[in-house]
Amino acid sequence: MPLDQEFENEEEEGSEGTEMSFIGHLEELRWHVIRAGGSILVFAILAFVYIKEIYQYVIIAPAKPDFWTYRMLCLLAEKVQYEDLCIKALNFKLQAIGMGDQFTMSMTSSVIAGLVFAFPYAFWEIWRFIKPGLKPSERRQARGAVFYVTMLFFSGIFFGYYIVTPLAINFLANFTLDPTIINEFSISSYISLVSTLTLACGIAFQLPIVVFVLAKVGVLTPAFMREYRKHSMIVILIIAAVITPSPDIYSQVIVAIPLFVLYEVSILVAGRVEREKLREEKALANRTGDL
């Protein structure tokens, strides 16, 4: 939890201040948002400076048959003796239709890259605003929030980029209604697909954090999540089928496994919150009894 530890003292000092007015809170929130937005802008400018390298080695990479994911699928295909898993060619070309398409996409991609790389700092700024309003016990339970949220976000980003996006590109690129139809996709369509799937996975991987918050307010319990585990498996399989248009079961299982793991981790998180609540209630009852 390096990022949390680095700013722990500053956060504790800010939490000891006197109560602020509503306007004061709005003013403080404004500056946190400005600093978070400024960090995104700085990283977006840096990304724009190196936009050609980013396109060559990151954005366009999943459109090439020698991409890491496709090579790993070919190795897996050899081991399971299922040749359809191996992706040897992607039947499409990218093109810029409008005069300003390439420049527009470079700007859009820079902003997306800035958002991704600035995420840890931007979230930390928002967390600095939220944390002073929590109870001491809630702060203890939420210790390391910046670290865990960032770790889950980037895990989702990598999962979306290396697993979900290549599988979707492969299916859509090789799906044809007639052999005479040539797939020539616009660069804007391609960027939209890559960014949407990648960012969506980054957000989806925040499930344990969402469960933590819902468990704190009493909406979710570990017992409820265990009771509906089978139902959740069906929902996860449906989500995996939607995320991966490819009809083969291997691709869907590859996507579903991390979602199953996230659900089980979420049950553990809800259980921890419930135990902490019971501990606090027991301590409160003991204090009341002493009085």
Side-chain angles (χ1 to χ4, degrees):
M1 293 163 265
L3 193 54
D4 274 359
Q5 292 173 354
E6 182 178 351
F7 301 109
E8 187 70 30
N9 293 336
E10 186 177 343
E11 289 179 341
E12 293 299 332
E13 290 173 5
S15 65
E16 299 297 331
T18 58
E19 291 189 9
M20 299 172 62
S21 66
F22 178 72
I23 300 299
H25 279 295
L26 286 180
E27 179 67 14
E28 185 180 358
L29 176 60
R30 183 172 74 91
W31 282 108
H32 284 299
V33 172
I34 288 174
R35 285 192 290 268
S39 67
I40 295 173
L41 178 61
V42 169
F43 278 100
I45 292 172
L46 287 173
F48 186 75
V49 172
Y50 296 99
I51 194 63
K52 290 186 178 180
E53 289 78 8
I54 291 174
Y55 260 79
Q56 181 179 356
Y57 298 110
V58 180
I59 297 176
I60 302 297
K64 301 175 182 177
D66 61 348
F67 186 57
W68 180 86
T69 304
Y70 303 138
R71 289 188 280 112
M72 293 302 104
L73 285 175
C74 287
L75 292 176
L76 180 61
E78 292 180 6
K79 291 184 178 181
V80 299
Q81 300 297 313
Y82 187 69
E83 292 185 3
D84 289 347
L85 265 181
C86 186
I87 299 170
K88 298 179 180 178
L90 295 170
N91 184 32
F92 75 98
K93 292 182 179 180
L94 293 176
Q95 58 179 339
I97 300 175
M99 286 286 291
D101 276 5
Q102 294 199 50
F103 179 76
T104 302
M105 285 301 100
S106 67
M107 296 289 289
T108 303
S109 302
S110 298
V111 173
I112 294 172
L115 176 63
V116 171
F117 287 113
F119 179 84
Y121 178 81
F123 178 77
W124 175 72
E125 280 290 348
I126 302 303
W127 177 245
R128 285 180 63 198
F129 176 76
I130 296 173
K131 189 173 181 180
L134 301 178
K135 298 177 182 177
S137 60
E138 292 173 335
R139 293 183 196 173
R140 287 195 299 272
Q141 291 183 35
R143 189 181 298 275
V146 176
F147 171 78
Y148 291 117
V149 169
T150 301
M151 180 190 69
L152 288 170
F153 178 75
F154 280 107
S155 297
I157 290 293
F158 281 111
F159 178 72
Y161 178 73
Y162 282 104
I163 304 298
V164 178
T165 297
L167 293 176
I169 289 175
N170 170 61
F171 173 77
L172 296 173
N174 291 302
F175 179 83
T176 56
L177 295 173
D178 188 272
T180 60
I181 301 175
I182 300 174
N183 285 330
E184 293 184 349
F185 306 133
S186 67
I187 185 63
S188 59
S189 173
Y190 175 83
I191 297 299
S192 176
L193 176 72
V194 173
S195 59
T196 300
L197 291 179
T198 303
L199 291 175
C201 288
I203 295 172
F205 268 54
Q206 299 300 315
L207 177 63
I209 305 299
V210 174
V211 169
F212 174 81
V213 174
L214 294 178
K216 284 294 296 179
V217 298
V219 176
L220 275 181
T221 63
F224 176 85
M225 296 185 71
R226 291 190 189 100
E227 181 181 353
Y228 287 92
R229 180 184 274 118
K230 293 181 180 179
H231 300 79
S232 69
M233 289 182 177
I234 295 174
V235 172
I236 288 173
L237 288 173
I238 293 173
I239 293 173
V242 172
I243 291 178
T244 55
S246 179
D248 67 88
I249 189 65
Y250 288 102
S251 300
Q252 295 174 14
V253 169
I254 290 172
V255 172
I257 287 175
L259 299 179
F260 284 131
V261 173
L262 282 173
Y263 189 84
E264 294 301 321
V265 170
S266 298
I267 293 177
L268 296 177
V269 169
R272 179 184 173 184
V273 172
E274 186 177 60
R275 288 192 299 272
E276 188 65 27
K277 280 185 177 180
L278 292 174
R279 199 175 296 119
E280 290 178 2
E281 290 173 1
K282 185 177 180 181
L284 180 61
N286 290 338
R287 288 197 298 269
T288 305
D290 293 339
L291 294 174

